[in-house]
Amino acid sequence: MLYFASDYQEGAHPSILQRLAETNLEKHPGYGTDEICASAGKRIRDACGCPDAGVYFLSGGTQTNKIVITSLLRPWQGVISADTGHISTHEAGAIEEAGHKVLTLPHTEGKIDAEEIRAMCAAWEEDANHDHTVMPGMVYLSQPTEYGTLYSPEELEAIRRVCDRFGLKLYIDGARLAYALAVPHSPTLRDLARLCDVFYIGGTKCGALFGEAVVIPDPAALPHFFTVIKQHGALLAKGWVAGIQFDELFRDGLYLKLGQNALEKAHRIRDVFRRAGFQTAFDSPTNQVFLVLEDNVYERLSSVISVSFWEKKNETHTVVRLASSWATSDEEVSQLEKQIDLLCASPTTEVTGV
Amino acid sequence: MLYFASDYQEGAHPSILQRLAETNLEKHPGYGTDEICASAGKRIRDACGCPDAGVYFLSGGTQTNKIVITSLLRPWQGVISADTGHISTHEAGAIEEAGHKVLTLPHTEGKIDAEEIRAMCAAWEEDANHDHTVMPGMVYLSQPTEYGTLYSPEELEAIRRVCDRFGLKLYIDGARLAYALAVPHSPTLRDLARLCDVFYIGGTKCGALFGEAVVIPDPAALPHFFTVIKQHGALLAKGWVAGIQFDELFRDGLYLKLGQNALEKAHRIRDVFRRAGFQTAFDSPTNQVFLVLEDNVYERLSSVISVSFWEKKNETHTVVRLASSWATSDEEVSQLEKQIDLLCASPTTEVTGV
Amino acid sequence: MLYFASDYQEGAHPSILQRLAETNLEKHPGYGTDEICASAGKRIRDACGCPDAGVYFLSGGTQTNKIVITSLLRPWQGVISADTGHISTHEAGAIEEAGHKVLTLPHTEGKIDAEEIRAMCAAWEEDANHDHTVMPGMVYLSQPTEYGTLYSPEELEAIRRVCDRFGLKLYIDGARLAYALAVPHSPTLRDLARLCDVFYIGGTKCGALFGEAVVIPDPAALPHFFTVIKQHGALLAKGWVAGIQFDELFRDGLYLKLGQNALEKAHRIRDVFRRAGFQTAFDSPTNQVFLVLEDNVYERLSSVISVSFWEKKNETHTVVRLASSWATSDEEVSQLEKQIDLLCASPTTEVTGV
Amino acid sequence: MLYFASDYQEGAHPSILQRLAETNLEKHPGYGTDEICASAGKRIRDACGCPDAGVYFLSGGTQTNKIVITSLLRPWQGVISADTGHISTHEAGAIEEAGHKVLTLPHTEGKIDAEEIRAMCAAWEEDANHDHTVMPGMVYLSQPTEYGTLYSPEELEAIRRVCDRFGLKLYIDGARLAYALAVPHSPTLRDLARLCDVFYIGGTKCGALFGEAVVIPDPAALPHFFTVIKQHGALLAKGWVAGIQFDELFRDGLYLKLGQNALEKAHRIRDVFRRAGFQTAFDSPTNQVFLVLEDNVYERLSSVISVSFWEKKNETHTVVRLASSWATSDEEVSQLEKQIDLLCASPTTEVTGV
């Protein structure tokens, strides 16, 4: 069986494990007050061109989204998100548990745009009864999105302008940020630091055992954030275990290199399928590949390659997702190619369009 | 400088790091649904004599306390705790953030007893206005306590009987459980599984990089607990990273051995100080050593040995804490002895009683 | 100016004020433990054919919805509602503040149906990742709906069957229930008591100064509900002030008579507008009348009659709402008729279809 | 039976009922946007010497405390209160349900003082681990306290200075404020408006059917408070029903007169008991009278006079509370006197000291 179902199936980049081993019996103060966390924070600040930024290391994406969003919002506010945003669909109601409504906009391949956000806020402003409704207080974007698509620098600039017009905070979920940063002409860390109130740099899906680095360009945006992290049970006693991972990921541009590897492999995967006559569901320039499969092809494919069910396209076709990662090897993609060749050679499998 | 301030200053037992390295590029399904977590869960169930128990791996103690307590309580209930309980003092209001009052009882060296719990519940029952007050719904104990003291099997049995009488759930915070289990005649894992509704086996302070294993002898006590974990942002995508740690800690009795090492070192540390004329603040049989120091001694000691401030005893004396851990070596204790000898030899340091 | 903007513009039925005056200096125990509340509860139980029901008197609809819904749900569950449901739109995020997601279904004239609810629950059941999502836990309906429409007995029976199939609780918001009960062949109080887990009988919009009566056919459905009410700040110290209102509303069928008055007036209002060539936006059999108006007609109408803006129909037409109430008099409707005649006689006003 | 158990046993001052009757069929806009609420607000602003204050009318004390406190605090903060404060004891965990810890100080006859508050805040500041604990964010006082005692102007000034020193908000619960204001030289409404961030003027226990008036001298202290009220289910649709009550209570000084009546009656009640040899538990200058009774006297007294159990003094004596109110008549006190005379004349009742 070949495994392409997701990008969090392996452990960590070897340099992380090596560093953990090397430092294992050193003594550190707790809760992220150690020198390794300080070093990792400095590297991230440098990469963001943001020498005063607050940097905190949390364990996972849902945790980070929940803590940041509830800290940026006041009780009467909600968060604007694509209806396909992770916070809206796959976080088990974490945002609502924290007391806030997710104000959804219909997505376009996982994205929302400045004009849609503006229209929602303008409608709220114009509603004579808006004091009885939830006020939009911030915007949640994911980069890349859950559909593997990207916001361009111009799109983010436009969204920032709408945020400024309506007093909204802007927050970006970078669970897979390495795979966005590696795409040429996509927004850089400096762009994100300039345009966002808060964003996070994903580790779990980008080469770490676990961990997400929250970046707060102006730390006054999240006062007493250390205590809030503790209150939500997200403060690691051995903070340096997360710190080591980001200190390695941001040493010598490793984070970007890991992203580039995933992109190269994803491009090869797309080529393999296209050459074999398969159809992609939509254009996604990052590490996720979405295919439209006839259901019988889906079934045969699944017997040899582990992929993710995405959604039913229609009564006879299904959309599936394959993901490459920092760890995907040339060898794995070659094996995939071989399997696809075998599959297509079989007289009972014929790949046709929708 | 020698470091005895706490028991979470080092990384993990080497077998954990080795296992992480060995399995690093294996592919696992996410969210704790992998075979390593299954194996770790089985080992813990076996150790607890509890084949049907639910076992979940979380990241830290405050997180575990918050999620378990809010899951065991209904909205109108609060949790009984010693006023020195971790949930009452050092979790930044995590329990209240989850909507519940901590109903405190005055502690005796970190402990509360069955009679005190009974009296609190009886007073609630007898209060004609109790529908206007918070109903006691569960008991929170820590084993060992924050003062390093232990509940005996008989004490836990008595508390369980009070819980049964008043319909209370019993939950034990085992952040340092290895150091309790290693004490002869203290309650065993089987005792805990028999007497508690839920307890957790601490990893972070007992040999892991991070991680706590929640044990639910009757899984029906916490329905949909997976989703609740996710909702609180505590579900690790790479669940096996926690699973590996407990699979190692519960292989061949390692967890108990790590506890024993810490106890031996703590006994030696106590001896070192007693022989030098120091006074312990109270009897604590586990890995924490509490000393009463004259303030000038405290100052001199602190210049060579990192210890924890615990509390002011009076105007001229301070209580400090030293902790040994799974990782404390004979060499470290010998160096400590040497430093204490030097300190006592100095003409300006005279150790006297309170 | 004539006032038809809503059904909560007047005070209370005179018998309520008279009873308040008569009993003003009598001494009562607090918090609804008095004999008047007991009598009101008994009358409501009798009317519902439900001798064991729990009956509680709260102050308003949002408060009631919030407290009942958060009490019926467990933390991992959400509430299914029409996207136009009051809890989804005009309660300022009260349900989310209590920790729960509102799972919306597209409405049809304010209603959702059994098949739509079934499909949502079946999709949740079939979703392999549903442990990462919010589980449907209950259904919220309003009777009449925000659009003045009604669920028939058969429709409620079908919804109940879906609820039983998927373990959902059924809750009905009866803010305007008097105006539903007065419609022939609509579900009776006995039907509601038989089919719902909880429902409330609206007072504020149906003849009381304020007050909603929560009916819990099986009181075990909401344990410790008194304490939960207190915890949410909704327990009236002088409970009998609410009790008096429901004791009067349920004396000699007053509640139903008040409903009938509103229906008669609403029918007359519809006739007035239809005869003048106006078009209703959709069929609503209760006390709310929805008209589609050309914008210039809307403007002229608003200068003499206070109505509610409902929504823009298109670029040139607007939907407005008029409401009758228990207090609407023949005289008021006659004045309305006169104003409409004048309006239509004006050469600058021509009423045309959409 | 004579009723002196509490001060919320009767309805409302007759002028309120009369005004409700007179205005019953007038049409008002909803949610407190009407002219009566505007008038009541103006009268309260005038009485407070605070022309820009925000004034909102809520239904009850627990509701008011919960909404104000959760609005004044940020998530990482708690509220300082006497351990006997209503929020700490008899609000069913409402503050915790809203996410905040009540930081209790031991009371002295219901009060806490500036020095105790200062010491708690200084200890927090000096605690090296305070980022792991709940930060004091505000002070909750009740005036009069639950023990009927009063803060003097000088005591409030001193507390305000501590609040300024530590950045604390100051909030006063005035559930029985009429009975404090009527005491000579006690703090006036102008004093409260000058010293508090928020306070409320109690209606429910001071002449209204229900209702508390929240006064926010600087409305910027509670932004979007209307929406927050709605979100907590506390926004009355017929806001003028509360507005009428305060418009009457603040017409021609009625509120103060009602307070004075209660004080006069309380003084007479104290005299009756003292002359008969009874002992008061402590000095309380307002409308509550606390007596220490031998248990057999308590039993005999209870058979003819309804009083409140307060607490056990010791094994043989009990403290009970009697309360006068705005409605207590001379006739009632005379009847009380007669009953006490009869009681003392009985050979089996002998009143003795503790």
Side-chain angles (χ1 to χ4, degrees):
Chain A
M1 181 68 94
L2 295 172
Y3 295 89
F4 287 91
S6 80
D7 38 19
Y8 46 92
Q9 296 189 291
E10 299 96 0
H13 189 268
S15 74
I16 288 173
L17 294 185
Q18 189 181 332
R19 179 86 174 276
L20 283 172
E22 287 168 5
T23 61
N24 192 42
L25 290 180
E26 290 175 8
K27 313 271 190 184
H28 299 286
Y31 306 113
T33 62
D34 61 277
E35 291 184 9
I36 296 173
C37 285
S39 165
K42 171 144 192 355
R43 286 182 182 172
I44 288 174
R45 279 183 206 95
D46 288 349
C48 295
C50 213
D52 299 323
V55 177
Y56 296 86
F57 303 111
L58 301 183
S59 299
T62 296
Q63 180 180 83
T64 304
N65 290 337
K66 178 174 191 155
I67 294 176
V68 170
I69 289 171
T70 195
S71 296
L72 284 175
L73 292 178
R74 299 302 304 273
W76 56 89
Q77 297 176 324
V79 51
I80 299 174
S81 165
D83 54 4
T84 50
H86 203 255
I87 58 167
S88 174
T89 57
H90 285 101
E91 301 194 352
I95 304 305
E96 291 84 1
E97 198 277 337
H100 298 285
K101 189 185 267 290
V102 180
L103 302 163
T104 54
L105 284 170
H107 78 111
T108 304
E109 295 181 358
K111 293 166 62 180
I112 53 177
D113 69 22
E115 169 52 24
E116 291 157 348
I117 296 165
R118 192 207 59 74
M120 178 182 264
C121 293
W124 182 85
E125 278 196 353
E126 288 158 16
D127 178 357
N129 289 320
H130 71 214
D131 285 345
H132 296 251
T133 72
V134 175
M135 179 187 183
M138 66 181 283
V139 173
Y140 165 92
L141 306 176
S142 37
Q143 171 84 335
T145 69
E146 293 73 13
Y147 283 68
T149 50
L150 289 177
Y151 289 92
S152 70
E154 296 70 31
E155 287 170 328
L156 287 189
E157 302 268 6
I159 288 172
R160 176 75 260 177
R161 282 193 297 273
V162 170
C163 289
D164 289 341
R165 159 67 184 83
F166 290 99
L168 305 172
K169 305 284 174 45
L170 178 57
Y171 167 58
I172 289 184
D173 175 337
R176 296 185 166 96
L177 193 58
Y179 311 128
L181 295 174
V183 173
H185 311 303
S186 72
T188 63
L189 284 172
R190 287 172 180 258
D191 291 331
L192 297 182
R194 182 172 48 87
L195 295 169
C196 294
D197 292 278
V198 184
F199 67 101
Y200 85 81
I201 301 170
T204 305
K205 293 173 178 167
C206 304
L209 289 173
F210 68 90
E212 326 296 331
V214 180
V215 182
I216 317 169
D218 172 9
L222 293 183
H224 293 270
F225 196 55
F226 181 97
T227 302
V228 173
I229 291 170
K230 177 76 179 181
Q231 189 177 66
H232 283 272
L235 191 67
L236 287 166
K238 300 182 178 176
W240 69 88
V241 176
I244 278 172
Q245 302 189 63
F246 281 94
D247 205 43
E248 289 301 316
L249 290 174
F250 278 81
R251 181 203 297 272
D252 302 332
L254 177 60
Y255 193 69
L256 208 61
K257 288 176 208 157
L258 297 181
Q260 283 161 342
N261 179 69
L263 290 200
E264 286 165 23
K265 301 304 181 289
H267 292 328
R268 279 193 59 195
I269 294 169
R270 280 188 203 93
D271 281 351
V272 164
F273 281 103
R274 281 184 187 140
R275 277 200 310 267
F278 286 79
Q279 185 186 352
T280 51
F282 45 81
D283 242 29
S284 85
T286 58
N287 73 314
Q288 300 183 80
V289 177
F290 297 87
L291 301 174
V292 185
L293 301 180
E294 267 190 289
D295 288 347
N296 78 317
V297 177
Y298 176 30
E299 197 179 325
R300 293 178 56 85
L301 186 77
S302 298
S303 67
V304 286
I305 305 168
S306 162
V307 301
S308 282
F309 169 84
W310 193 252
E311 62 189 18
K312 287 294 295 178
K313 174 84 177 184
N314 56 37
E315 292 206 353
T316 54
H317 289 73
T318 297
V319 178
V320 303
R321 185 192 70 174
L322 290 85
S324 64
S325 83
W326 62 275
T328 308
S329 65
D330 279 323
E331 171 62 18
E332 287 176 287
V333 183
S334 298
Q335 288 180 359
L336 174 74
E337 188 164 17
K338 206 172 298 175
Q339 288 295 342
I340 297 302
D341 286 350
L342 282 171
L343 202 73
C344 293
S346 153
T348 63
T349 309
E350 186 186 356
V351 176
T352 61
V354 186
Chain B
M1 181 69 94
L2 295 173
Y3 295 89
F4 287 92
S6 81
D7 39 18
Y8 45 92
Q9 297 189 289
E10 299 95 359
H13 189 268
S15 74
I16 288 172
L17 293 186
Q18 190 182 332
R19 181 86 175 277
L20 282 172
E22 286 169 7
T23 61
N24 190 44
L25 290 179
E26 289 176 8
K27 312 272 191 184
H28 298 286
Y31 306 112
T33 62
D34 60 278
E35 292 184 9
I36 296 173
C37 285
S39 166
K42 173 147 191 350
R43 287 184 181 172
I44 288 174
R45 278 183 206 94
D46 288 349
C48 295
C50 214
D52 299 324
V55 177
Y56 295 86
F57 304 111
L58 300 184
S59 300
T62 296
Q63 180 181 83
T64 304
N65 290 337
K66 178 173 190 155
I67 295 176
V68 170
I69 290 171
T70 196
S71 296
L72 284 175
L73 292 178
R74 299 302 305 272
W76 56 88
Q77 297 176 323
V79 51
I80 298 175
S81 165
D83 54 4
T84 50
H86 204 255
I87 59 167
S88 175
T89 57
H90 285 102
E91 301 195 351
I95 304 306
E96 292 84 0
E97 198 277 337
H100 298 284
K101 189 186 268 288
V102 180
L103 303 163
T104 54
L105 284 169
H107 78 110
T108 303
E109 295 180 358
K111 293 168 61 179
I112 53 178
D113 71 21
E115 169 52 24
E116 291 157 349
I117 296 166
R118 191 208 59 74
M120 179 183 262
C121 293
W124 182 85
E125 278 195 354
E126 288 158 19
D127 178 357
N129 290 319
H130 71 214
D131 286 346
H132 295 251
T133 73
V134 174
M135 179 188 184
M138 66 180 284
V139 173
Y140 165 93
L141 306 176
S142 38
Q143 172 83 337
T145 69
E146 293 72 13
Y147 283 67
T149 51
L150 289 177
Y151 290 92
S152 70
E154 296 70 31
E155 288 171 326
L156 287 187
E157 302 267 5
I159 289 173
R160 176 76 259 176
R161 283 192 297 272
V162 171
C163 288
D164 289 342
R165 159 66 184 84
F166 291 99
L168 305 172
K169 306 283 174 44
L170 178 57
Y171 166 60
I172 288 186
D173 174 338
R176 296 185 166 94
L177 193 58
Y179 311 128
L181 296 174
V183 173
H185 311 302
S186 72
T188 64
L189 284 172
R190 285 171 180 261
D191 291 331
L192 297 182
R194 181 173 49 87
L195 295 169
C196 295
D197 292 278
V198 184
F199 67 101
Y200 84 82
I201 301 170
T204 304
K205 294 174 178 168
C206 304
L209 289 174
F210 69 88
E212 326 296 329
V214 181
V215 182
I216 316 169
D218 172 7
L222 293 183
H224 293 270
F225 196 53
F226 181 97
T227 301
V228 173
I229 291 170
K230 176 77 180 180
Q231 188 177 68
H232 283 272
L235 191 67
L236 287 166
K238 300 181 177 176
W240 70 88
V241 175
I244 279 173
Q245 303 189 62
F246 281 93
D247 205 43
E248 289 302 316
L249 291 174
F250 279 80
R251 179 203 296 273
D252 302 332
L254 177 60
Y255 193 69
L256 208 60
K257 289 176 207 158
L258 297 181
Q260 284 160 341
N261 178 69
L263 291 199
E264 287 164 22
K265 301 305 182 288
H267 293 327
R268 280 194 56 197
I269 293 169
R270 278 187 204 93
D271 282 350
V272 165
F273 280 102
R274 282 183 187 140
R275 278 201 309 268
F278 286 80
Q279 185 186 350
T280 52
F282 44 81
D283 244 29
S284 85
T286 56
N287 72 315
Q288 300 182 80
V289 177
F290 297 86
L291 301 174
V292 185
L293 301 181
E294 268 190 288
D295 289 347
N296 77 317
V297 178
Y298 175 29
E299 196 179 326
R300 292 178 56 86
L301 187 77
S302 297
S303 66
V304 287
I305 305 167
S306 161
V307 302
S308 281
F309 169 86
W310 192 252
E311 62 190 16
K312 286 294 296 177
K313 176 84 178 185
N314 56 37
E315 290 206 355
T316 54
H317 289 73
T318 298
V319 179
V320 304
R321 184 192 72 174
L322 290 84
S324 65
S325 82
W326 62 276
T328 307
S329 65
D330 280 320
E331 171 62 17
E332 286 176 286
V333 183
S334 299
Q335 288 179 358
L336 175 74
E337 188 163 18
K338 204 171 301 174
Q339 287 296 340
I340 298 301
D341 287 349
L342 280 172
L343 201 71
C344 292
S346 155
T348 62
T349 308
E350 187 186 356
V351 175
T352 61
V354 185
Chain C
M1 181 70 93
L2 295 172
Y3 295 89
F4 286 92
S6 80
D7 39 18
Y8 46 91
Q9 297 189 290
E10 299 96 358
H13 189 268
S15 74
I16 287 173
L17 293 186
Q18 190 182 331
R19 181 87 175 276
L20 283 172
E22 285 168 7
T23 61
N24 191 44
L25 292 180
E26 289 175 8
K27 313 272 191 183
H28 298 286
Y31 305 112
T33 63
D34 61 276
E35 292 185 7
I36 296 173
C37 285
S39 166
K42 172 145 193 353
R43 286 184 181 169
I44 287 173
R45 279 183 204 96
D46 288 350
C48 296
C50 213
D52 299 324
V55 178
Y56 295 86
F57 303 111
L58 301 183
S59 299
T62 296
Q63 181 181 82
T64 304
N65 289 338
K66 176 172 192 157
I67 295 176
V68 170
I69 289 171
T70 195
S71 296
L72 284 175
L73 292 178
R74 298 303 304 273
W76 56 88
Q77 297 176 323
V79 51
I80 299 174
S81 166
D83 54 4
T84 50
H86 204 256
I87 58 167
S88 174
T89 57
H90 285 100
E91 301 194 350
I95 303 306
E96 291 84 1
E97 199 277 337
H100 299 285
K101 190 186 267 289
V102 180
L103 303 162
T104 54
L105 285 169
H107 78 110
T108 305
E109 294 181 358
K111 293 167 62 181
I112 54 178
D113 70 22
E115 169 52 24
E116 291 157 349
I117 296 166
R118 191 207 59 74
M120 178 183 264
C121 293
W124 183 86
E125 278 195 353
E126 289 158 18
D127 178 358
N129 289 319
H130 71 214
D131 285 346
H132 296 252
T133 72
V134 175
M135 178 189 186
M138 65 180 284
V139 173
Y140 165 91
L141 306 176
S142 38
Q143 172 84 338
T145 69
E146 294 72 13
Y147 283 68
T149 51
L150 289 177
Y151 290 92
S152 70
E154 295 70 31
E155 288 171 327
L156 287 188
E157 302 268 6
I159 289 173
R160 176 77 258 176
R161 283 193 297 271
V162 171
C163 289
D164 289 342
R165 159 68 185 83
F166 290 98
L168 305 172
K169 305 283 172 45
L170 178 57
Y171 167 58
I172 289 185
D173 174 339
R176 297 185 166 96
L177 193 58
Y179 312 128
L181 296 174
V183 172
H185 311 301
S186 72
T188 64
L189 284 172
R190 286 171 181 260
D191 291 331
L192 298 182
R194 181 172 50 86
L195 295 169
C196 294
D197 292 278
V198 184
F199 67 100
Y200 85 81
I201 302 170
T204 305
K205 293 174 178 167
C206 304
L209 289 174
F210 68 88
E212 326 295 330
V214 180
V215 182
I216 317 168
D218 172 7
L222 294 183
H224 294 270
F225 196 53
F226 181 97
T227 301
V228 173
I229 291 170
K230 177 77 180 180
Q231 189 178 66
H232 283 272
L235 191 66
L236 287 166
K238 300 181 178 176
W240 68 88
V241 175
I244 278 173
Q245 303 189 62
F246 281 93
D247 205 44
E248 289 301 315
L249 291 173
F250 279 80
R251 180 203 297 273
D252 303 331
L254 177 60
Y255 194 69
L256 208 60
K257 288 175 208 160
L258 297 180
Q260 285 160 342
N261 178 69
L263 292 199
E264 287 165 22
K265 301 306 183 289
H267 293 327
R268 278 194 58 196
I269 293 169
R270 279 186 203 93
D271 282 349
V272 164
F273 280 101
R274 281 181 187 143
R275 276 200 311 266
F278 286 79
Q279 187 188 349
T280 51
F282 44 82
D283 243 29
S284 86
T286 57
N287 72 313
Q288 300 182 80
V289 177
F290 297 86
L291 300 175
V292 185
L293 301 180
E294 268 191 288
D295 288 346
N296 77 317
V297 177
Y298 175 30
E299 196 180 325
R300 292 177 57 86
L301 187 77
S302 297
S303 68
V304 287
I305 305 167
S306 162
V307 301
S308 281
F309 169 86
W310 193 252
E311 63 189 16
K312 287 295 295 178
K313 176 83 178 186
N314 56 37
E315 291 207 354
T316 53
H317 290 72
T318 297
V319 178
V320 302
R321 183 192 72 175
L322 290 84
S324 64
S325 82
W326 62 276
T328 307
S329 65
D330 280 321
E331 171 61 18
E332 287 177 285
V333 184
S334 298
Q335 287 180 359
L336 174 74
E337 188 165 17
K338 206 172 299 174
Q339 287 296 341
I340 298 302
D341 287 351
L342 279 171
L343 202 71
C344 293
S346 153
T348 63
T349 310
E350 188 186 356
V351 175
T352 61
V354 185
Chain D
M1 182 67 94
L2 295 172
Y3 295 90
F4 287 92
S6 80
D7 38 18
Y8 46 92
Q9 297 190 292
E10 299 96 358
H13 188 269
S15 74
I16 287 172
L17 294 186
Q18 189 182 332
R19 180 85 175 276
L20 283 172
E22 286 167 6
T23 60
N24 191 44
L25 291 180
E26 290 174 9
K27 313 272 190 182
H28 298 288
Y31 305 113
T33 62
D34 61 276
E35 291 184 8
I36 295 173
C37 285
S39 166
K42 173 147 192 351
R43 285 182 183 171
I44 287 174
R45 278 182 206 98
D46 288 349
C48 295
C50 214
D52 299 324
V55 177
Y56 295 86
F57 303 110
L58 301 183
S59 298
T62 296
Q63 180 180 84
T64 304
N65 289 337
K66 177 174 191 155
I67 295 176
V68 170
I69 289 171
T70 196
S71 297
L72 283 176
L73 292 177
R74 297 303 303 272
W76 55 88
Q77 297 176 323
V79 52
I80 298 175
S81 167
D83 54 3
T84 50
H86 204 255
I87 59 168
S88 174
T89 57
H90 285 101
E91 301 195 349
I95 304 305
E96 291 84 1
E97 198 277 337
H100 298 284
K101 189 186 267 288
V102 181
L103 302 163
T104 55
L105 284 170
H107 78 110
T108 304
E109 295 181 358
K111 293 167 62 180
I112 54 178
D113 69 23
E115 169 51 25
E116 292 158 349
I117 296 165
R118 191 207 59 74
M120 179 182 264
C121 293
W124 182 86
E125 278 195 353
E126 288 158 19
D127 178 357
N129 290 319
H130 71 215
D131 285 347
H132 296 251
T133 72
V134 175
M135 178 189 185
M138 65 181 284
V139 173
Y140 165 91
L141 305 177
S142 38
Q143 172 85 333
T145 69
E146 294 72 14
Y147 282 68
T149 50
L150 289 178
Y151 291 91
S152 70
E154 295 70 31
E155 289 171 327
L156 288 188
E157 302 267 5
I159 289 173
R160 176 76 259 176
R161 283 192 297 272
V162 171
C163 288
D164 289 341
R165 158 69 183 83
F166 290 99
L168 305 171
K169 305 284 172 49
L170 178 57
Y171 166 59
I172 289 185
D173 174 338
R176 295 184 167 96
L177 193 58
Y179 311 129
L181 296 175
V183 173
H185 311 302
S186 71
T188 63
L189 284 172
R190 285 172 181 258
D191 290 332
L192 298 181
R194 182 171 50 87
L195 295 168
C196 294
D197 292 279
V198 184
F199 68 100
Y200 85 81
I201 301 170
T204 304
K205 293 173 178 167
C206 304
L209 289 174
F210 69 87
E212 326 296 329
V214 180
V215 181
I216 316 168
D218 171 9
L222 294 183
H224 292 271
F225 196 53
F226 181 98
T227 301
V228 173
I229 292 170
K230 177 77 179 181
Q231 189 177 65
H232 282 272
L235 190 66
L236 287 166
K238 299 181 178 176
W240 69 88
V241 175
I244 278 172
Q245 302 188 63
F246 281 94
D247 205 43
E248 289 301 315
L249 290 174
F250 279 80
R251 181 202 297 273
D252 302 331
L254 178 60
Y255 193 69
L256 208 60
K257 288 176 208 157
L258 297 180
Q260 284 161 341
N261 178 68
L263 291 200
E264 287 165 22
K265 301 306 182 288
H267 293 327
R268 280 193 58 196
I269 293 169
R270 279 187 203 94
D271 281 349
V272 164
F273 280 102
R274 281 180 187 144
R275 277 199 311 266
F278 286 80
Q279 186 187 352
T280 51
F282 43 82
D283 243 29
S284 87
T286 57
N287 72 314
Q288 299 183 79
V289 178
F290 298 87
L291 301 174
V292 186
L293 301 180
E294 268 190 288
D295 289 347
N296 78 318
V297 177
Y298 175 30
E299 196 180 325
R300 294 178 55 85
L301 187 77
S302 296
S303 68
V304 287
I305 305 168
S306 161
V307 301
S308 282
F309 169 85
W310 193 253
E311 62 189 18
K312 287 295 295 178
K313 175 85 178 185
N314 56 37
E315 291 206 354
T316 54
H317 290 74
T318 297
V319 179
V320 303
R321 184 192 70 174
L322 291 85
S324 65
S325 83
W326 62 275
T328 308
S329 65
D330 280 321
E331 171 62 20
E332 285 176 286
V333 183
S334 298
Q335 287 179 0
L336 175 73
E337 187 164 18
K338 207 172 298 175
Q339 288 295 341
I340 298 303
D341 287 350
L342 280 171
L343 202 72
C344 293
S346 154
T348 63
T349 309
E350 187 187 356
V351 176
T352 61
V354 186

